[in-house]
Amino acid sequence: MKYERIIEDKDLAKYVEAYNILTHVEYIIEDALEEEMSINFCIDSDILEENTIRVQVFGDDKLCNRREHILGRNIEFVCEERVEHLNTCLSSVLQKLFNAFYNITKAHLHKHLFEDVEYMEVVLTKGISIIVQGFENTVYIPHIEDIIFIAHAHPRGYPPTPSKKDLLSMRDVIAERGLGGCVHSAQGSFCMYRVGIPTWRDYESLTLSINRGDEIRDVCSSSPNIRCFTSFTYFG
């Protein structure tokens, strides 16, 4: 394994900042509320653009009218008796961020899809990413703290089918409150990412499904907070 390059990109930094704000909000709510209430919130603002972000909290008054200042943004917590479309609200924010990291890593790794060794990109919470070069059938990195997203390029001629090791690596990123990861190849992409707040039960179900060698569709449906995306489109 050797370092290929470090990427500092304005678009990447913008989406990393938005993701960092989201996880800060998640931790604030989890610290304030009972465990079973931790998922009951909704961001009612554009987390990418707005300076003041309004967070609706459902079913508890511990955060009513609380204000925080996170990464240069004002965060306002508002208590609601009922939050409309609660689950789709959080998942839509995570989906938007996933779409961004999917497209960014696919673009960064595009030139490596036609080489004979694997490459990996690691997106970090500090707003940069690192690309490393691996070997023909594997690529690995030493333990790195604060990973948001991982993606690696399969060599030419290989489909984007994830290995057991790939799936476990994506699981580990999600378990540490990252977003997920992708496998890119010249034939398309496979990705796994979170659309909710991961729980210990999610981790156990996902681990069990991966270790017993379930079909990909069964692995992806093993947790309601996990979603998979597959695209088999040739990258020219």
Side-chain angles (χ1 to χ4, degrees), residues 2-212:
K2 69 176 184 179
Y3 287 103
E4 172 71 13
R5 64 188 188 276
I6 295 175
I7 297 177
E8 297 182 83
D9 177 273
K10 287 184 179 180
D11 285 337
L12 176 66
K14 177 178 73 171
Y15 288 105
V16 167
E17 180 183 277
Y19 190 80
N20 287 338
I21 291 171
L22 175 63
T23 55
H24 272 82
V25 169
E26 290 177 344
Y27 287 132
I28 289 171
I29 291 174
E30 287 180 331
D31 286 344
L33 306 182
E34 299 296 331
E35 183 177 353
E36 64 270 16
M37 302 292 293
S38 62
I39 199 171
N40 290 349
F41 77 98
C42 181
I43 294 180
D44 188 26
S45 308
D46 186 344
I47 199 170
L48 289 170
E49 303 294 341
E50 296 184 24
N51 289 325
T52 298
I53 298 170
R54 185 172 181 267
V55 181
Q56 296 174 300
V57 182
F58 170 63
D60 199 284
D61 60 3
K62 294 184 179 68
L63 287 167
C64 291
N65 302 316
R66 177 169 171 175
R67 286 175 169 78
E68 299 282 343
H69 192 70
I70 301 172
L71 300 176
R73 310 281 194 95
N74 298 310
I75 313 296
E76 296 181 353
F77 292 87
V78 179
C79 292
E80 302 282 356
E81 291 186 2
R82 183 168 180 265
V83 176
E84 297 292 341
H85 310 299
L86 178 66
N87 295 329
T88 57
C89 177
L90 177 58
S91 66
S92 66
V93 176
L94 289 165
Q95 182 68 51
K96 185 174 183 178
L97 293 170
F98 162 74
N99 291 343
F101 291 121
Y102 164 75
N103 287 314
I104 288 170
T105 58
K106 185 173 71 170
H108 289 167
L109 292 172
H110 180 270
K111 71 176 185 177
H112 300 302
L113 303 179
F114 307 95
E115 299 187 26
D116 297 323
V117 298
E118 294 193 6
Y119 286 80
M120 176 178 284
E121 179 170 8
V122 182
V123 180
L124 303 175
T125 56
K126 62 180 67 176
I128 65 171
S129 69
I130 301 170
I131 293 184
V132 299
Q133 177 184 320
F135 306 97
E136 182 178 356
N137 294 311
T138 186
V139 60
Y140 69 92
I141 56 172
H143 180 71
I144 300 176
E145 298 287 342
D146 302 324
I147 295 176
I148 290 177
F149 200 80
I150 57 172
H152 74 272
H154 277 180
R156 58 184 173 185
Y158 286 82
T161 307
S163 65
K164 177 181 176 180
K165 181 181 177 182
D166 295 336
L167 293 171
L168 290 173
S169 295
M170 295 178 198
R171 176 212 61 182
D172 290 344
V173 171
I174 293 170
E176 294 295 327
R177 201 54 71 89
L179 183 55
C182 290
V183 178
H184 299 304
S185 84
Q187 299 176 29
S189 300
F190 168 85
C191 306
M192 178 188 292
Y193 57 102
R194 71 180 181 98
V195 290
I197 297 179
T199 65
W200 179 248
R201 182 176 296 178
D202 294 326
Y203 181 87
E204 287 186 322
S205 298
L206 192 56
T207 302
L208 178 63
S209 185
I210 294 170
N211 283 335
R212 70 187 174 204

